[in-house]
Amino acid sequence: MPQFIVYFAQYHEDFRLAELEALSKLENVAIEYDASTYSLESPFLIVNINSAEEATKLVRRGILVRNIIEYWGHGSTYEELFARVKENPEKWADFKTCSFKFNVEAFGRTLTQKEKVAIINTFKFLAFEGPIRMKNPDAEFIVREEYPVTNNASQAETPAMIWFGRLVGQGSRELIDKFDVKKRRYLGNTTMDAELSLVMANQALARPGTLVYDPFVGTGSFLLTCSHFGACSMGSDIDGRQIRGTAGFRLGVDGISANFEQYGVGDRVLDTAVFDICRNPWRSGPMFDAIVTDPPYGVRAGAKRLGRKDGTNPDISFKIVEGVENYKREDYYPPTIPYEMSDLVSDLLEFAAEKLVVGGRLVYWLPTVADEYDPKDIPEHPALKLVANSEQPFRSWSRRLITMEKIAPLESSHKLSTPEHNPAHKNFPVVGGGAAGFYTAARLLAKTTDVNIDIFEKLPAPHGLVRYGVAPDHPEVKNCMSKFDEVANNARVRYFGNVAIDGHDKPSGLSVNMLRSVYDGVVLSYGASEDRRLNIPGEDGHENNVGVISARRFVAWYNGLPEAQDLEPDLTSHDRVVIIGHGNVALDCARILLTPPHVLEKTDITSNATDKLKQSKIRHVEMVGRRGPLQVSFTTKELREMTKIENVQIVSDVELVNSECESSEGRDYLSQMRPLKRMMDLLRKHAVSPTDPRATQASKTFTLKFLMSPQEVVYDGDMQKLRFQANGLEGSPADARAVAKDATVDIPCAMALRSIGYASTPLDGVPFDAKRRLVPNIAGRVIDNENNVVEGLYVSGWIKRGPVGVIATTMQDAYRTADAIVMDLANNAIGHSASQAKVNQMLAQANIDQNRVSNEGWKRLEQFEFAAGEARGKPREKVTSVQKMLDIIRDK
């Protein structure tokens, strides 16, 4: 296939390939290119296309494409370029006598007119005989010098690459100016900028004969751009003020319809309406070719949905005002409640799965925290596939343009609506009162009206790792507890705290088999309560030395988990602690050990832990991993927090970090892994080598060590040392393997923490994959050893997928499990014989009420903790004894 050079604009670099692929589909032009040659730092990409005519067609409505050039050659020097051009002299023949002009520019440098003329003269060997015509020539030849991107103000003197060819097509970047928001008659406070609105129209494949819908229409930017490209469009919003033009910056111009008239698309914008997308009037079944939207989120203005806050009077809407029912008055504005972004996106995907035609696209913005982003956090739906995920970075946060495509009809068996003809209530227990359990329950409550939920938690206090695992200096992560409170307060939910599901059938306890005998289905979400071991000699300690203890247990200790309060961490026998592992939990432990106790005591860390940390002699924490810097699994946010700890110097093998990042493989890998690149930039900015005076003279240090595997713990009297095997790396950065070398390294320390992963445990009556340490499942449905679905048994959270991901990952995972349950209910695959009476009878026979802590009891305990914390100037003071918890709950 002939080759062409796509010359991109150097804006929104992460969006360019996604738009190019969309243009290929829009114009039905097949393209081939080597994705490994694409760089965010370069505007050039070689693509294979069948003909120049198809190349012209491909880019004609491109927004991030400047132009496309028939490839004649490229080279790192003009001599190399000329040699390649001369390999194909047959290309010259067609332009021997036609009019022509040369267009010479540089990327990364400014060329003078004299330099441009000199460059043009070097192409005399082409021997063109036609006239030079600067306006409308028969052929325009493009020379583009590409200079390397430098980190300083000086420009490189020689180009890294020179590109040459014949111009065959232009993009449509002039539309950016045409649709500039400043030129519009009506402008609101949430208007999307023109360039990205146009890109989204391309991503949505908007074209004549298609119907596009924006459910959060705001000021209608997407209706404008999609209709410009020929699509018919519609929009709605819960707040009609911007639609009508009664809110915004330019009032009195008839709202967004003024813009439709201004740009001549009024005949293609079918209508706009005011309603809550959660209670929409659309007929059932597919009807839209694309859904394009920018859901409101907290950075601008939080989303709303219809509803009343607890305690408000629902009769207000029906109150007679001046002889008219309130809700019928023109000035009536229905009450709204906050619409959490997680629920909004989940509902949006479900709406798209039902309302899009097969092949239709959902294009929407998703806000993410830059330092915490994980690709696994992108919401999924079984009827939609991810087509593109493009990041627009800001400072501490980013927004991502997510493009999904409907891949199959949404059959009735896959719809997530509640069965219409099944009035009997269904009953489900959720085993585990952590984030996965509460999110599963929340989704079930949202998607059904006839499901009762009993949440069983072995401790009196709910919320699992949100309470006992999230770092005390990360209070924002714990905001989800308010969501969990909403779930627990729901009339269809009962909380059974202090009730263990231990897997053994006995009169005084509960087992999974007992639950399955009376409930319509069982959800297991009990997480991972153990951790992986190193399995090295000396790991369990010797005499007065503690050896290697679990980071999971150390975290549980300072967070107040009752079963971890007998831990006696050694913080005084030496000034050094070694942490084995390069994950976020390891960094949490390092931060707690090095942060001044007076800072920590303002958080919800236990007072027992801060008292112990005040006596600590630990001044140096070394975090060791078996592979290199490009294989670490912690996040930029966690590393940045280490840079802000008072009087702590970050130390690392700077030479190794630089060599890994600057190698050709490293640069290519980092260009594709932007979060990792940001993290490496941060590490390189703050870290010094171990021999640097800033390291040797620092009062406290945090050291990141690489390429070391633990071999044994060596004891010498009261001293313990960790012995490590030195490693090398084999393979590419994406799949690098640690390979042992002959050398060993000893590191003396007070104690060592292993942070190499959590592990789940089995329950009787439940299939368990001992190797992967999870319950085998398909989309949350438990399967047996022969891959058959176990009817009515489900899993969510870490017991489902393994101990990976953050709270948002757990939420999406739990939602998918709940969706599977709703589908099975709709199919009558479960829920045939259970009743609330049978459930209550079984619980009574098991004497559950004797030990049970209800939601009211938990709230009594929480109020006690709040009051105790307030007295100490902290959010709460956790009660760390189960017996004391029960005494408080029972007013003893």
Side-chain angles (χ1 to χ4, degrees):
M1 293 174 70
Q3 289 186 314
F4 297 84
I5 306 165
V6 175
Y7 181 24
F8 291 109
Q10 198 62 14
Y11 300 98
H12 302 302
E13 296 89 344
D14 204 31
F15 295 67
R16 299 184 305 198
L17 282 187
E19 189 196 34
L20 188 67
E21 291 286 354
L23 294 173
S24 170
K25 190 162 188 174
L26 264 170
E27 304 290 4
N28 194 27
V29 173
I31 61 173
E32 295 177 357
Y33 59 88
D34 182 355
S36 66
T37 65
Y38 176 75
S39 170
L40 298 176
E41 297 177 349
S42 171
F44 301 100
L45 176 69
I46 294 178
V47 297
N48 299 326
I49 305 174
N50 284 322
S51 67
E53 291 74 22
E54 289 203 346
T56 304
K57 183 180 176 185
L58 172 70
V59 305
R60 61 185 175 182
R61 56 179 275 187
I63 304 302
L64 300 177
V65 177
R66 293 187 183 279
N67 49 52
I68 192 164
I69 304 161
E70 183 183 57
Y71 175 83
W72 282 28
H74 76 293
S76 57
T77 64
Y78 276 98
E79 289 75 15
E80 184 179 338
L81 168 65
F82 296 156
R84 283 187 173 163
V85 173
K86 292 174 182 178
E87 289 174 358
N88 299 290
E90 67 278 2
K91 288 186 177 181
W92 314 351
D94 292 338
F95 308 98
K96 189 77 172 176
T97 60
C98 72
S99 64
F100 71 95
K101 81 170 185 177
F102 270 70
N103 182 321
V104 181
E105 297 290 348
F107 171 75
R109 187 171 181 266
T110 301
L111 298 177
T112 65
Q113 187 63 27
K114 183 178 180 181
E115 288 174 318
K116 293 179 182 181
V117 171
I119 291 170
I120 293 172
N121 287 333
T122 63
F123 286 87
K124 287 182 178 179
F125 67 90
L126 294 174
F128 291 147
E129 299 174 359
I132 297 173
R133 185 179 299 159
M134 301 309 293
K135 291 185 178 181
N136 302 317
D138 295 325
E140 181 174 344
F141 297 96
I142 305 293
V143 182
R144 291 290 180 264
E145 292 187 344
E146 181 182 4
Y147 286 81
V149 178
T150 61
N151 295 324
N152 51 54
S154 62
Q155 295 181 334
E157 291 299 320
T158 57
M161 192 63 63
I162 308 150
W163 304 85
F164 178 65
R166 180 176 66 90
L167 179 69
V168 296
Q170 299 277 8
S172 290
R173 287 188 59 77
E174 72 280 357
L175 293 177
I176 299 172
D177 180 66
K178 177 179 179 178
F179 285 95
D180 187 347
V181 296
K182 296 178 182 178
K183 296 181 178 180
R184 298 182 194 176
R185 292 177 187 169
Y186 176 68
L187 181 64
N189 56 1
T190 59
T191 303
M192 175 64 64
D193 75 79
E195 186 169 18
L196 290 173
S197 297
L198 289 159
V199 170
M200 290 176 72
N202 280 338
Q203 290 291 94
L205 310 181
R207 62 197 184 279
T210 60
L211 178 60
V212 178
Y213 173 56
D214 181 356
F216 303 96
V217 70
T219 54
S221 287
F222 305 138
L223 305 193
L224 272 178
T225 55
C226 290
S227 293
H228 167 79
F229 287 125
C232 291
S233 62
M234 306 172 69
S236 67
D237 209 307
I238 192 173
D239 185 348
R241 290 174 294 178
Q242 293 193 115
I243 292 176
R244 294 187 290 266
T246 57
F249 303 125
R250 298 172 186 168
L251 307 181
V253 293
D254 201 23
I256 62 178
S257 61
N259 291 339
F260 304 151
E261 180 184 346
Q262 174 188 356
Y263 286 94
V265 297
D267 59 334
R268 291 190 292 280
V269 178
L270 303 185
D271 208 347
T272 54
V274 179
F275 56 78
D276 180 358
I277 188 62
C278 299
R279 294 171 172 83
N280 66 78
W282 302 121
R283 61 173 171 79
S284 62
M287 59 188 299
F288 301 118
D289 297 284
I291 297 171
V292 185
T293 193
D294 180 21
Y297 40 86
V299 175
R300 303 177 309 170
K304 301 287 185 182
R305 58 188 175 91
L306 294 180
R308 291 187 179 277
K309 297 179 181 178
D310 292 341
T312 60
N313 184 2
D315 295 331
I316 292 176
S317 299
F318 300 96
K319 184 178 180 181
I320 303 299
V321 179
E322 298 178 355
V324 179
E325 290 176 300
N326 195 19
Y327 75 94
K328 294 181 180 179
R329 292 171 55 87
E330 289 188 5
D331 61 352
Y332 175 74
Y333 188 74
T336 60
I337 57 176
Y339 196 3
E340 289 193 19
M341 192 65 191
S342 56
D343 292 332
L344 185 156
V345 173
S346 183
D347 290 345
L348 179 62
L349 265 61
E350 185 176 329
F351 178 84
E354 181 184 357
K355 301 300 182 189
L356 285 174
V357 301
V358 173
R361 288 193 165 191
L362 168 65
V363 183
Y364 73 98
W365 287 101
L366 179 70
T368 57
V369 178
D371 291 350
E372 298 179 2
Y373 167 73
D374 188 312
K376 296 176 183 176
D377 297 337
I378 300 300
E380 299 176 345
H381 192 284
L384 304 170
K385 74 172 181 179
L386 181 66
V387 173
N389 173 3
S390 304
E391 180 191 22
Q392 184 185 18
F394 296 101
R395 290 191 177 181
S396 61
W397 70 286
S398 301
R399 62 179 179 181
R400 293 179 172 274
L401 185 62
I402 306 299
T403 303
M404 307 184 84
E405 188 170 298
K406 186 171 177 179
I407 55 177
L410 192 66
E411 303 294 345
S412 59
S413 61
H414 293 103
K415 291 182 180 178
L416 304 184
S417 57
T418 307
E420 295 181 5
H421 304 293
N422 204 346
H425 277 255
K426 306 301 180 184
N427 300 286
F428 283 81
V430 174
V431 179
F438 272 93
Y439 276 126
T440 304
R443 183 71 165 182
L444 285 173
L445 292 174
K447 299 303 172 187
T448 68
T449 58
D450 61 350
V451 170
N452 297 322
I453 302 167
D454 291 340
I455 299 177
F456 291 93
E457 168 56 48
K458 68 179 180 179
L459 290 169
H463 304 161
L465 285 179
V466 176
R467 176 179 169 93
Y468 294 120
V470 173
D473 55 348
H474 287 173
E476 72 284 352
V477 180
K478 304 181 184 185
N479 290 338
C480 58
M481 292 168 70
S482 61
K483 172 78 170 180
F484 303 160
D485 285 343
E486 290 181 17
V487 172
N489 290 331
N490 191 289
R492 290 192 279 146
V493 175
R494 297 187 295 184
Y495 175 64
F496 289 81
N498 201 41
V499 177
I501 311 299
D502 58 15
H504 300 282
D505 298 322
K506 54 187 180 182
S508 60
L510 290 178
S511 68
V512 173
N513 287 336
M514 293 171 68
L515 298 178
R516 294 186 67 195
S517 70
V518 295
Y519 284 94
D520 293 284
V522 176
V523 180
L524 304 176
S525 58
Y526 59 88
S529 58
E530 294 185 356
D531 59 281
R532 299 183 183 276
R533 293 176 56 84
L534 298 172
N535 295 318
I536 61 174
E539 183 173 3
D540 294 323
H542 175 71
E543 296 181 352
N544 295 328
N545 300 115
V546 298
V548 183
I549 65 175
S550 160
R552 174 193 61 81
R553 191 164 168 78
F554 181 65
V555 169
W557 169 74
Y558 64 66
N559 271 323
L561 181 67
E563 66 187 52
Q565 295 313 296
D566 60 349
L567 182 70
E568 292 292 338
D570 183 356
L571 305 178
T572 57
S573 70
H574 199 280
D575 67 353
R576 189 179 311 274
V577 164
V578 174
I579 303 175
I580 301 163
H582 275 168
N584 278 341
V585 173
L587 269 180
D588 282 346
C589 294
R591 193 175 65 256
I592 294 298
L593 288 166
L594 292 173
T595 298
H598 73 269
V599 174
L600 292 174
E601 63 186 356
K602 297 175 183 177
T603 71
D604 68 356
I605 192 172
T606 66
S607 293
N608 175 54
T610 51
D611 290 343
K612 187 87 172 179
L613 289 167
K614 287 177 181 178
Q615 302 169 18
S616 172
K617 296 181 180 178
I618 303 301
R619 297 294 178 268
H620 308 286
V621 174
E622 302 198 5
M623 209 166 99
V624 186
R626 61 189 176 87
R627 295 194 293 170
L630 299 188
Q631 289 77 46
V632 298
S633 54
F634 52 78
T635 61
T636 307
K637 177 180 181 293
E638 302 283 342
L639 180 61
R640 181 174 286 111
E641 288 176 336
M642 296 301 299
T643 70
K644 297 179 180 179
I645 302 176
E646 180 182 343
N647 297 324
V648 172
Q649 176 62 56
I650 296 180
V651 181
S652 191
D653 186 339
V654 174
E655 185 177 345
L656 172 66
V657 174
N658 287 339
S659 65
E660 288 290 293
C661 292
E662 294 299 333
S663 69
S664 58
E665 282 191 326
R667 286 198 303 270
D668 290 344
Y669 184 59
L670 290 174
S671 70
Q672 302 169 42
M673 306 289 288
R674 294 180 69 171
L676 180 61
K677 183 180 187 304
R678 283 195 292 264
M679 183 161 60
M680 289 298 103
D681 290 344
L682 182 68
L683 179 61
R684 295 169 74 180
K685 177 180 178 181
H686 289 277
V688 300
S689 66
T691 57
D692 190 295
R694 288 171 290 179
T696 58
Q697 299 171 16
S699 58
K700 290 183 179 182
T701 60
F702 166 64
T703 303
L704 272 171
K705 292 195 170 183
F706 307 103
L707 303 177
M708 296 167 63
S709 295
Q711 295 297 299
E712 64 177 316
V713 185
V714 180
Y715 298 98
D716 183 8
D718 291 335
M719 175 68 70
Q720 72 174 37
K721 301 177 182 178
L722 263 292
R723 178 159 296 163
F724 291 89
Q725 180 87 48
N727 294 329
L729 281 182
E730 285 187 357
S732 66
D735 57 5
R737 303 177 302 280
V739 180
K741 294 184 175 181
D742 292 335
T744 60
V745 178
D746 288 353
I747 304 177
C749 58
M751 66 174 183
L753 301 175
R754 63 175 179 268
S755 183
I756 57 173
Y758 288 37
S760 297
T761 56
L763 285 178
D764 284 355
V766 179
F768 191 75
D769 186 331
K771 183 177 181 180
R772 299 168 63 202
R773 302 298 294 268
L774 49 75
V775 174
N777 67 93
I778 298 175
R781 299 177 179 91
V782 175
I783 57 175
D784 60 21
N785 294 333
E786 297 179 354
N787 292 330
N788 297 313
V789 172
V790 180
E791 181 180 321
L793 195 56
Y794 303 87
V795 284
S796 71
W798 283 4
I799 191 64
K800 171 185 176 182
R801 71 181 189 278
V804 293
V806 294
I807 298 292
T809 317
T810 296
M811 179 193 68
Q812 292 297 330
D813 171 89
Y815 282 5
R816 297 287 75 83
T817 294
D819 291 347
I821 294 172
V822 176
M823 292 175 190
D824 290 349
L825 284 171
N827 262 347
N828 289 319
I830 56 175
H832 302 300
S833 60
S835 69
Q836 187 78 58
K838 288 184 179 180
V839 170
N840 292 340
Q841 183 181 8
M842 183 276 291
L843 295 176
Q845 290 174 348
N847 297 318
I848 295 304
D849 281 344
Q850 180 178 349
N851 297 311
R852 174 197 175 189
V853 171
S854 66
N855 187 53
E856 292 75 14
W858 150 241
K859 283 300 173 182
R860 193 177 303 126
L861 171 62
E862 188 174 47
Q863 289 303 315
F864 178 90
E865 292 182 341
F866 286 158
E870 185 178 3
R872 292 174 174 265
K874 56 193 300 189
R876 73 168 77 210
E877 181 62 55
K878 293 176 188 171
V879 178
T880 60
S881 158
V882 170
Q883 187 56 55
K884 187 175 180 181
M885 288 180 182
L886 296 176
D887 289 344
I888 293 167
I889 291 167
R890 295 163 184 167
D891 287 330
K892 290 185 178 180

